[in-house]
Amino acid sequence: MGLFQSFDICASGMSAQRFRMDTIAENIANVNTTRTEDGTPYRRKIVTFQEKEILSDTKKFQGNGVKVASVTEDYETDFTMEYDPSHPDADENGYVRYPNVNTVTEMTNLIDASRAYEANTTAFNASKSMVQAALKIGQ
C-alpha cells in the first residue's frame, strides 16, 4: 500500500457517506410531497455502494476505497394512504397517496451513515498520525 493510498481510501468512504446523508436528507425533506413532475408522490431513494477498482496495464487492483454504484428508487415499499378529502391530490374516495418515506427509518439510516463517516475520519486521522510519526523518525 502506498503512503497516501490510505488517505484516498478514507476520503472515498467519507465522500460516499456524505452523498448518502444528502440523499437521506432529500428523502426526509420530501416526506409530504404528494405530487412530483410526473404526477406521482415522491418515491424514496436508496444509495448503493461498490468497491472502487483501479486498472493498470498489467493488473486490476481492488480494495482502493468505495464509490457510489447507484441511486435507485424504492419500488418495494408501498405509498402511504391517508384519508383527507380536502387535499388537492385526494382521489375520488378521498384518499391521498403520500411518499413511501418512513422518518424513523431515514433517521436510523442517517445515524448509520454519520457513524460510518466518523469511522472513516478516525481512520484518516490515525493514518495521518502514523505518517507524522514516520516523518519525525526520519529527522
Side-chain angles (χ1 to χ4, degrees):
M1 180 183 292
L3 180 64
F4 295 105
Q5 187 177 3
S6 62
F7 293 137
D8 292 338
I9 292 170
C10 294
S12 72
M14 287 188 282
S15 295
Q17 293 300 336
R18 175 60 193 217
F19 184 82
R20 182 176 172 213
M21 286 189 272
D22 289 344
T23 304
I24 291 168
E26 179 184 339
N27 289 340
I28 293 171
N30 285 295
V31 72
N32 290 318
T33 304
T34 57
R35 187 183 320 159
T36 58
E37 291 175 358
D38 62 356
T40 61
Y42 176 83
R43 195 170 286 276
R44 176 178 179 256
K45 293 187 173 111
I46 302 169
V47 177
T48 306
F49 298 144
Q50 177 180 334
E51 183 178 23
K52 190 188 292 184
E53 299 172 349
I54 298 176
L55 302 174
S56 71
D57 295 337
T58 56
K59 346 176 184 177
K60 178 168 133 183
F61 296 99
Q62 293 184 323
N64 287 296
V66 66
K67 65 179 182 177
V68 174
S70 65
V71 178
T72 56
E73 291 184 346
D74 181 6
Y75 284 95
E76 294 181 17
T77 309
D78 294 330
F79 291 125
T80 305
M81 299 291 283
E82 288 187 21
Y83 183 74
D84 185 5
S86 64
H87 194 283
D89 292 327
D91 63 10
E92 62 277 352
N93 297 322
Y95 285 93
V96 180
R97 292 189 316 162
Y98 281 95
N100 58 348
V101 177
N102 182 332
T103 308
V104 175
T105 301
E106 297 302 321
M107 290 303 295
T108 304
N109 290 339
L110 186 60
I111 291 169
D112 180 54
S114 69
R115 295 286 167 88
Y117 185 93
E118 184 179 336
N120 280 295
T121 303
T122 301
F124 187 91
N125 288 332
S127 295
K128 183 174 84 173
S129 296
M130 285 188 275
V131 169
Q132 286 175 335
L135 288 172
K136 285 181 184 176
I137 291 172
Q139 289 179 344

